[in-house]
Each structure stands twice: as C-alpha cells, then as structure tokens.
Amino acid sequence: MSQTPTAASGGLRSRPFPEQEYLTRLRAVQDRMAERSLSSLIVADPANLYYLTGYNAWSFYMPQCLIVPAEGDCHLFTRTMDAAGAHYTAFLPRDRIHGYPDQLVNRADAHPFDWVVDRALELGVLVDEPTAYVAAELDAHFFSVRSYLAIRSGLKRSALVDSTELVNWVRVRKSPLEREKLYKAGKIAQCVMETALRELEPGRRQCDVVAEIQHAQALGARKLGGDYPAIVPMLPTGETAGTPHLTWSDLELQRGEATTIELAGVYHRYHAPLARTVVLGKAPQQLVDCAEATNEGMLALLEQMRPGMRTCDVHRAFTETIGTYGLTKESRIGYSIGIGYPPDWGERTMSVRAEDETVIEEDMAFHVILGMWMDGWGYETSESMLIGPHGPQLLTDVPRGLTAKE
C-alpha cells in the first residue's frame, strides 16, 4: 500500500504510484506470460523492477531480480543490505522481499543467484520440471553471464529461455498516471535545456557548463524535484560535434565552434530527453544548410507520428525530405522512452528506422533524435513526445533550429 510521510518513517514520501497501478501492470505481464506458456519470469532490468514494484535504489550493480510466477504473487530478491531499502520503495509486503547473504558478494566459488534459485524453488515461484519454461531477461544490462550460469545450474530440468523484453513491451503504452510523470519530466527538461543554452559562452570550460546542467537536473522545475538521468549530459564540441555520445572535458568553449547538447529531464525515473545545437559566433554555411534541412525533416516526420502509422513510415518521411537536400542518415532516428536507469533511457523496444514496422499507438512515448554527424562537424536536434489520438504531443517547448550566440 502507498505510504504517506510520517516522523517515524524519517520523512518517507508517498510512492509514485498507488498499489492498484502495480497490480494492473503485473496482471498484464502474467497475461503475456500465459500467451507464451511461461512458468516464471526472472526480471533483472532495474527499469522493469521499478515498473512492476516501485523498487528504486542504486543497487543494480549487484545481482538482484524479481521473479513473477505464471499465477500468484511475485517475490523480490536483493542483497540483504538492499532489502531494507526495498521495504521503503517497493509496494511488496516484507515477506515477499528476500535478501541474500553478503558472504555471496564477489565470490569466485559461489554466486548470489545460487541462493536466489534455491529460495525461489522453496517459495514455489520457480519450478524445476521438464515441462516448465522459465524466461529471463538475458539481454538486460545488469544480467551477467555468471547470473545465467547460476540459474541454469539450479534449474536442472526446466527450460531457460529469453524473455525477449516481455516487460519492456508491456511498458510501451503509458497509463494516465505515467503520462502525467512524462509531462512533468518535460517541464524539467525544458528548464535544464534553457539553462544549458544560457550558460554556453566563449571562454567557459565545458565542465563548468555541465555543472550548471546537472544542478538544474536535480533542482527540477518550480515545485517538481528532479531525479538523476540514466545518461549524463553529452556535450560534443567543435570538431567532436561530428561524433555522438561524447561527454565533456575541461577545455574552454571557443568562438566559432558549435556544440551539440543532449540531456534529459527526469521525474520519478521517467525521462524526457532533449537535444539542441549552439554555435558561438557566426555559423558556417554548411551547418546552417544542414540545420534547415534537418528541421524540415523533423516537421515531415512529426506529421507521420500518429496512431495507425508505422515507425518505418516515420523514418521514410524524414529520409525522403533530407534526401532532397542531398543528405542521408544511416542510423535510427528515434526510439521508445519512459522509465530509465543507467546506462540508457530508451526502452529497448521500438526503433524509428526503415526495418521496424511497429504500428504506432496512442499513449506510446518516443524520443525522436536527428543527429547529423559529419566529418569534423555536426548538427543535432530532438523532441520527446507522447502519442495522442491525433498525433504527437511534445513534452517540451524549446525553439528548434540552430541557436547562434554572437
């Protein structure tokens, strides 16, 4: 049940969702499991743990999981010291949160999942029978090979199969309460980007600008407190602006150079990413032309971001538009978003690219990111959005286009 702050709880705030929201999500997951005749599901992705239980802690670097049986209650397994935090954040009662002994941490001759499998078999949330199919999140960032081998060793008769992002696909359509979180994340993202655009000046060190960005991310917007992002601010500058996923250095910003900024506003783990490009001084003509073509491509794809269209149709609208300017882009131009934990804020489901034929539905959420990475220079712009009944509803209102600061 949701808890309200009390003196005895040390100021514990209400959980981000009521218990019924989690029960509805778990029911949807078990329905998907039934379609695949799964006996149990081992959930290791911290975003999925949060989605299904509310559990929220920086504990994902250690083995932990939620085990969802085909029928009945799920159980959470963490390190003993983290089980206490789970009592505060997860909606689960104490008898469904289990801590494995600390003596199993970082051992060459044993693994926490040895203990987890034994306990789960005792509880009946795992079964070891020839007819049983147990799915695990084999591609989750924090599910190691040793975790898999420990489970495989403990389940000698059951088939251990890939979940193929079962929970992630349940997450793609957002409930009304989730949509509210995303809109609030968008308000924070807008404040953070406005801070970034204001702080970029010639002579300032990149790290000083990022310090202001990170302060703004934690500060939030108005009365909305911000959360830490799954990805740190990215600030490729000058020649490196033609390369994605670079962070920052202690070098000073130079007049005449462009900087691409990619960041996110985060509220209760829901992310609203946003990217813009700034040039300090007069922009070279090739950058101006690229920005104009890319922005026209953004308008074309936004026309296609509506229920019933396919993600490949959205991709085609963009590539055909920039193609009239002689430009091409090989990588995907967007993906689904929602809850995020390091190292990624994407949901690892839909991608906006030529080969993806997923049909867009109302209440899905996307980050459409148009990075044009050239040889020694680049341009980047993006939008986060919810899909409404008639098209995209943007989460921020920051002017697009190349920002030039003379």
Side-chain angles (χ1 to χ4, degrees), residues 5 7 20 30 79 88 91 96 104 144 153 158 225 264 273-274 276 282 358 360 390:
Q20 186 57 49
Q30 288 179 319
R79 189 180 181 184
Y88 287 112
F91 86 95
R96 285 162 53 199
L104 293 174
S144 69
S153 176
S158 298
L274 188 62
R276 291 293 185 266
K282 183 176 175 57
T358 304
I360 297 172
H390 306 295

Side-chain angles (χ1 to χ4, degrees), residues 332-391:
R332 66 179 182 172
I333 61 171
Y335 44 82
S336 60
I337 55 170
I339 301 166
Y341 278 84
D344 187 21
W345 56 47
E347 287 185 322
R348 299 188 296 119
T349 52
M350 298 166 285
S351 290
V352 183
R353 58 187 173 204
E355 303 82 10
D356 193 318
E357 298 185 352
T358 304
V359 176
I360 297 172
E361 299 178 43
E362 187 176 353
D363 301 329
M364 289 180 172
F366 290 89
H367 180 215
V368 171
I369 179 163
L370 309 179
M372 305 299 291
W373 299 298
M374 308 301 185
D375 186 13
W377 63 280
Y379 175 78
E380 190 172 324
T381 189
S382 80
E383 296 288 358
S384 287
M385 65 199 71
L386 275 162
I387 303 301
H390 306 295

Side-chain angles (χ1 to χ4, degrees), residues 281-303:
K282 183 176 175 57
Q285 193 59 45
Q286 61 182 359
L287 181 57
V288 172
D289 293 342
C290 180
E292 291 178 354
T294 305
N295 291 338
E296 187 174 327
M298 175 70 85
L299 293 175
L301 72 84
L302 289 176
E303 286 292 321

